[in-house]
Amino acid sequence: MVRFQVEIHVSGGLHARPASVLVNLLNQYRSSVTMIYNDKRANGKSILSVMALGVKNGDEMTFEVEGDDEQEAATALRSLIERNFAIS
């Protein structure tokens, strides 16, 4: 399992557009992704779960990536976050 903490920098937090970009990226991988914020856990492949966390700009959260392609998924996820959810 790959586990890491990041600070989210996206205007308005993880609202519909960045949550959609995140979910679309993660659904390209077989690994499961759990997002942890304020003691709440969410399935990173479910837009409703992601949005229900209520992550705001500047908040810190934890990701857990587990599965056959966890390294690749975690690398892609970190890259997306570093680009502030901009689609490349």
Side-chain angles (χ1 to χ4, degrees):
M1 174 173 45
V2 178
R3 180 183 171 102
F4 60 95
Q5 289 186 321
V6 294
E7 190 170 310
I8 301 299
H9 293 284
V10 62
S11 179
L14 287 182
H15 57 83
R17 192 205 59 81
S20 174
V21 170
L22 174 73
V23 169
N24 286 336
L25 172 78
L26 295 178
N27 277 310
Q28 296 175 28
Y29 297 92
R30 293 181 305 277
S31 295
S32 64
V33 179
T34 302
M35 300 170 62
I36 305 165
Y37 174 71
N38 284 344
D39 297 323
K40 295 187 286 185
R41 298 175 77 83
N43 175 356
K45 293 184 174 187
S46 165
I47 192 163
L48 293 178
S49 292
V50 171
M51 290 177 62
L53 287 175
V55 177
K56 307 231 180 335
N57 187 37
D59 287 345
E60 189 170 290
M61 62 181 309
T62 301
F63 286 90
E64 294 177 346
V65 185
E66 186 169 13
D68 297 338
D69 56 359
E70 63 190 27
Q71 291 297 331
E72 295 87 355
T75 298
L77 176 56
R78 286 180 201 245
S79 176
L80 178 69
I81 294 166
E82 289 170 2
R83 293 189 320 267
N84 299 327
F85 297 82
I87 300 170
S88 60

